[in-house]
Amino acid sequence: MLVSCRYNHLGRLGEKSDVYSFGIVLLEMITNQPVISQTSENSHITKWVSSKLICGDIIEIMDPNLRKDYDSNSAWRAVELAMSCANPSYSKRPSMSQVINELKECIMCENSRLSNNQSLESQAINIGLDSSVVPKAR
């Protein structure tokens, strides 16, 4: 769409078009939804996510195969990042270095959550509890 307009106008692609493409791929990974849906009135993934964001429920956006096993704060940040990358306005998209920094923060938040879950599992084993009742990291 806008990427191809910018390409046609300038005759080249740049970092911001790469950021847009990355945002779309990130949305696909987060949601497990196709970029274009023939069965929805919100046919483009950005429109579908935008319609879900209005409800404010991250569970509706996230891939159900994750079975809600994620930190909701890092999930929100990842969705917001993906949507900012896919912003139709070329100038409002983040730089790739900003994208990398934000992803690193999301990963640190998720790693922290996973470390806490592993700590709970270790504590359960140390006090003789059945470890199957303690949440496990994937």
Side-chain angles (χ1 to χ4, degrees), residues 19-114:
V19 168
Y20 177 86
S21 298
F22 180 79
I24 297 300
V25 171
L26 188 56
L27 284 173
E28 285 181 283
M29 291 171 38
I30 291 169
T31 64
N32 195 25
Q33 297 291 318
V35 175
I36 306 289
S37 172
Q38 307 302 332
T39 61
S40 170
E41 66 184 54
N42 297 314
S43 60
H44 194 269
I45 195 166
T46 55
K47 289 182 181 179
W48 182 83
V49 171
S50 292
S51 72
K52 300 296 180 184
L53 284 172
I54 291 169
C55 299
D57 188 4
I58 195 69
I59 295 168
E60 289 292 316
I61 297 169
M62 299 300 290
D63 180 353
N65 294 318
L66 294 173
R67 296 184 183 97
K68 302 177 192 172
D69 186 19
Y70 48 83
D71 179 81
S72 63
N73 290 327
S74 62
W76 275 112
R77 288 176 78 168
V79 169
E80 289 168 356
L81 174 63
M83 290 298 286
S84 70
C85 289
N87 191 312
S89 175
Y90 190 83
S91 63
K92 292 183 181 176
R93 295 179 201 148
S95 68
M96 193 53 84
S97 60
Q98 291 170 313
V99 171
I100 292 167
N101 288 333
E102 187 66 27
L103 283 176
K104 283 180 180 179
E105 289 182 27
C106 290
I107 290 169
M108 286 190 315
C109 187
E110 187 63 22
N111 283 341
S112 174
R113 182 188 71 85
L114 293 174

